[in-house]
Amino acid sequence: MLENADLGKLIVRLTLGGLILFHGISKLFHGVGFVESQLASHGLPTILAYGVYVGEVLAPLMVLLGYHTRIGALLIAINMIVAIALVHTGQLLSLSQTGGWALELQGFFLFIALSVIFLGPGRYKLHS
């Protein structure tokens, strides 16, 4: 049986970091207006919207590279908790039209980030 926990950790890191990074790149090109509007609707300062660049650009790069991986994963987890709190609380117990959890994507990012926090980067990483 082929077993390589470090390769598995790399695959998880590349998946989490790569998929979240697409969201960050979109915000780099299109701005954070939606996040600002969500913050304003909750009575929060809109300047906080720029934190999404930390959670969706910087943190995914940290996870992808294996550089301070646990900190990067923590930042992603915090980003997802904020996103769920601002936008998705009404869907926490809902199913999608296809029968899955309405928050599958957000749940995936949150729980995989938590897994990376506990697992660490594995052997295939930048040294930090």
Side-chain angles (χ1 to χ4, degrees):
M1 177 89 159
L2 179 65
E3 182 178 323
N4 187 338
D6 291 311
L7 182 57
K9 290 175 185 180
L10 175 64
I11 292 168
V12 169
R13 281 189 13 241
L14 294 178
T15 302
L16 173 65
L19 292 177
I20 265 267
L21 185 59
F22 284 119
H23 292 265
I25 291 169
S26 174
K27 287 177 181 73
L28 285 172
F29 284 109
H30 303 291
V32 293
F34 176 76
V35 180
E36 288 176 321
S37 68
Q38 290 300 310
L39 288 163
S41 74
H42 287 82
L44 296 168
T46 57
I47 190 77
L48 296 175
Y50 293 94
V52 79
Y53 293 124
V54 173
E56 295 184 9
V57 177
L58 179 62
L61 290 172
M62 293 168 71
V63 169
L64 282 167
L65 297 172
Y67 180 76
H68 296 288
T69 305
R70 287 184 162 111
I71 294 170
L74 177 62
L75 292 169
I76 291 171
I78 291 167
N79 186 74
M80 292 316 306
I81 290 168
V82 170
I84 291 167
L86 286 178
V87 182
H88 302 288
T89 52
Q91 298 171 296
L92 278 172
L93 302 176
S94 299
L95 297 178
S96 70
Q97 292 178 349
T98 58
W101 184 31
L103 299 183
E104 283 177 351
L105 183 62
Q106 297 83 0
F108 170 82
F109 288 145
L110 174 58
F111 293 115
I112 297 303
L114 291 173
S115 297
V116 171
I117 292 168
F118 291 108
L119 291 171
R123 183 174 51 176
Y124 307 118
K125 64 180 175 105
L126 288 181
H127 292 281
S128 56

